[in-house]
Amino acid sequence: LYGALLVEQTQISHRLITCQQLSAFRYLFESESSTYTYLLADTNTKEAVIIDPVLETVDRDLKLIKELGLNLTVAVNTHCHADHITSTGLMKQRVAGLKSAISKFSGATADIHLTEGDNIPFGRHSLTVKETPGHTDGCITLVTGDQTMAFTGDALLIRGCGRTDFQQGCAEKLYHSVHEKIFTLPDECLIYPAHDYLGQTVSTVGEERKFNPRLTKSMEEFVELMNNLNLPKPKKIDISVPANLVCGLHHV
């Protein structure tokens, strides 16, 4: 996992990246909700973690995990999603010993309830939890031990951010979360969001701090903008949120 990563801006659905033969990293794409799922593994111990898996792609993801010979230990959601149903519950039924994880403040059931500073280990590596509420109360960002990669969920997107008009959303909280928990990471830290709608796959802390059109504004300007987006509610919110509160198994 440690070392420099060069990732092309491309719309391919997945790619394997290895660093110093220590770990494996895949990002996978679900097209209906434009959700990225991330798979990280220690190639020596074969222990793996998956971030934000989607119900519709559970067979694809488990097939890849089997092909790579990985032992999936934790399936973690960066928050309680409103635009798709998580596959963590279904994965638990099909992968022995797998544990689900989500923020303590999400209101969702899980085997592991995460708080600030918690670590999710996989082999010799781990992800550190940063609480980044604002899109929802239970949003977290997951940062690799060497701070070269951050999985930001919906808190920080590439040249954007998650909306703040439902699910306990608060523009002021989100602004503080991003500026205090994400923008304080090293400039070269790679940003991997939960979604992208323009085919972008990765950014950096330095880029977003400089070019993000929303989060380069003052807090007052940001709050005014976010409070007046007037977006339609997500199409699946009425089924996704209840399902995701119970690991995606509600009426599945």
Side-chain angles (χ1 to χ4, degrees), residues 7-25:
V7 185
E8 298 175 357
Q9 298 287 331
T10 178
Q11 296 184 50
I12 64 171
S13 63
H14 61 263
R15 175 172 299 174
L16 175 65
I17 301 172
T18 58
C19 304
Q20 301 177 351
Q21 304 302 311
L22 292 179
S23 66
F25 170 57

Side-chain angles (χ1 to χ4, degrees), residues 52 75-80 100-116 118 120 129-133 136-142 168 244-245:
D52 288 334
V76 57
N77 282 293
T78 55
H79 62 292
C80 184
S100 59
I102 199 167
S103 166
K104 172 184 177 181
F105 302 106
S106 66
T109 59
D111 298 307
I112 304 168
H113 282 119
L114 300 165
T115 58
E116 180 77 19
D118 284 350
I120 303 173
V129 175
K130 287 181 174 286
E131 293 173 351
T132 49
T136 74
D137 278 348
C139 286
I140 57 173
T141 291
L142 301 167
Q168 319 96 40
N244 290 332
L245 289 173

Side-chain angles (χ1 to χ4, degrees), residues 17-63:
I17 301 172
T18 58
C19 304
Q20 301 177 351
Q21 304 302 311
L22 292 179
S23 66
F25 170 57
R26 286 258 188 169
Y27 61 86
L28 304 109
F29 188 66
E30 193 281 313
S31 59
E32 183 180 358
S33 61
S34 297
T35 298
Y36 284 119
T37 295
Y38 300 100
L39 177 66
L40 299 91
D42 184 312
T43 52
N44 289 327
T45 68
K46 301 298 184 180
E47 290 182 354
V49 174
I50 197 165
I51 302 171
D52 288 334
V54 180
L55 182 65
E56 285 79 3
T57 53
V58 64
D59 291 332
R60 176 202 66 186
D61 297 348
L62 291 179
K63 180 175 182 287

Side-chain angles (χ1 to χ4, degrees), residues 172-221:
E172 286 190 24
K173 279 187 182 180
L174 182 58
Y175 190 89
H176 285 297
S177 290
V178 173
H179 279 266
E180 295 170 12
K181 298 291 186 68
I182 300 175
F183 282 178
T184 52
L185 292 168
D187 280 357
E188 62 273 16
C189 179
L190 297 170
I191 297 295
Y192 291 99
H195 302 281
D196 190 85
Y197 309 98
L198 299 174
Q200 303 166 112
T201 56
V202 65
S203 184
T204 67
V205 168
E207 279 184 43
E208 294 307 313
R209 194 189 295 118
K210 186 175 181 180
F211 299 120
N212 191 297
R214 294 182 179 178
L215 288 152
T216 50
K217 298 180 182 296
S218 69
M219 187 178 72
E220 292 75 16
E221 292 171 329

